[in-house]
Amino acid sequence: MVSLAIYNLKGGVGKTAAAVNLALLSARDGYRTIVWDLDPQGSSSFYLNVAASVKNESKKLFLNELDLADAVQPSPYENLAAIPADLSARQADLLFGEAKQSKKKIASLISSLKKNCDVLILDCPPGISLLHDNIFYAADWILMPNIPTTLSIRSHETVETYFKENDLDLDKIKCFFSMVDHRKNLHHEIMQEFYRDKTFFKSYIPYLSDVEKMGVHEAPLETFAHSSYAAQCYRDLWKEIRKTCL
């Protein structure tokens, strides 16, 4: 099993859209794929039409009161399942802070999925906290979408500094540009500058209304806009990820 965490320090950079679209492409390539929604907003759960079946399910998973494998639910798509989030996921830092080996909790939980999962995608909330320390330790790869703007790139550099200062594996981080607006010269300039950094994939995700329409359709792009440029960009990105990470 390969675990891919879709993460950024900032919110609103396209993490959930990437998690859901890449997960469907993984499933269509024949990989048994699971999306674990770790964000209390539950956006990837919404896109995949799954909801927690037990009250405070996320909290119970973190407390080992419910086995992670038992929380896996099928999605409407072949080979693709999900572990939904609810608002109790917001308590992760508090619960992990009270646990022994608190930074290894997520790694311990996902070990139960290995027999029935080829690709695990973690849809992460923004920030840097004890939950994220868990994710950084457990995930095989940290995939970071970055809008090509000064503040977004600054957050990327902040995360790299955090990894260095906390002896985390910096080689886990791979980045891609997201919400790229071709009308903005600044976007082009920043992209060209950072493409020299081998941590960035060449493929990027454009800022287009088709991606936003995922909320209207409650579905990944491939299901309602297969021929769109945005869908092709996700396919190109997935090919790079598959070649590098799987």
Side-chain angles (χ1 to χ4, degrees):
M1 182 180 77
V2 175
S3 52
L4 310 173
I6 313 297
Y7 164 80
N8 195 297
L9 175 62
K10 282 176 58 63
V13 298
K15 293 188 299 295
T16 295
V20 171
N21 286 306
L22 295 173
L24 182 62
L25 293 168
S26 170
R28 289 192 170 180
D29 274 353
Y31 297 106
R32 296 170 299 172
T33 306
I34 297 174
V35 176
W36 186 4
D37 190 350
L38 288 163
D39 193 330
Q41 296 180 80
S43 297
S44 58
S45 305
F46 171 76
Y47 286 145
L48 294 173
N49 293 284
V50 296
S53 57
V54 178
K55 186 177 180 180
N56 294 326
E57 183 170 276
S58 295
K59 179 180 179 181
K60 290 178 179 178
L61 290 172
F62 297 150
L63 290 173
N64 286 330
E65 294 176 0
L66 178 66
D67 190 84
L68 190 64
D70 292 334
V72 176
Q73 297 187 27
S75 80
Y77 313 106
E78 186 178 2
N79 287 331
L80 180 55
I83 301 169
D86 57 28
L87 282 175
S88 69
R90 72 190 189 281
Q91 302 178 44
D93 287 326
L94 176 62
L95 298 173
F96 288 171
E98 296 173 349
K100 295 180 179 179
Q101 294 188 316
S102 59
K103 292 186 179 181
K104 299 181 179 180
K105 187 67 176 178
I106 294 290
S108 175
L109 290 172
I110 67 175
S111 64
S112 66
L113 302 177
K114 290 182 178 180
K115 291 183 179 179
N116 298 303
C117 178
D118 301 313
V119 177
L120 174 65
I121 295 180
L122 307 173
D123 184 14
C124 307
I128 294 184
S129 67
L130 186 52
L131 170 63
H132 299 96
D133 284 340
N134 268 264
I135 293 165
F136 299 154
Y137 176 82
D140 294 310
W141 297 93
I142 312 296
L143 306 182
M144 292 181 59
N146 290 271
I147 304 173
T149 61
T150 303
L151 287 179
S152 184
I153 293 300
R154 184 173 180 270
S155 73
H156 156 66
E157 293 171 345
T158 299
V159 172
E160 285 198 334
T161 299
Y162 183 82
F163 266 64
K164 292 174 184 176
E165 291 177 348
N166 290 273
D167 295 322
L168 294 164
D169 186 0
L170 194 61
D171 291 336
K172 285 186 176 186
I173 297 178
K174 295 293 289 184
C175 304
F176 60 94
F177 286 110
S178 179
M179 301 175 71
V180 174
D181 189 338
H182 287 294
R183 298 169 298 179
K184 298 181 178 180
N185 288 333
L186 178 63
H187 281 209
H188 288 282
E189 291 169 4
I190 290 177
M191 289 173 71
Q192 290 307 313
E193 177 184 352
F194 277 88
Y195 275 148
R196 301 188 191 102
D197 184 340
K198 293 182 179 180
T199 64
F200 274 78
F201 291 114
K202 291 295 184 182
S203 301
Y204 65 87
I205 306 303
Y207 181 65
L208 293 173
S209 61
D210 285 327
V211 181
E212 295 180 335
K213 289 177 183 177
M214 288 174 61
V216 176
H217 293 273
E218 298 180 32
L221 267 173
E222 283 287 314
T223 65
F224 66 87
H226 172 80
S227 61
S228 68
Y229 179 58
Q232 182 59 55
C233 287
Y234 276 113
R235 290 194 290 272
D236 292 342
L237 176 61
W238 169 244
K239 288 177 183 177
E240 280 198 76
I241 292 171
R242 184 181 61 192
K243 181 179 180 180
T244 301
C245 303
L246 272 62

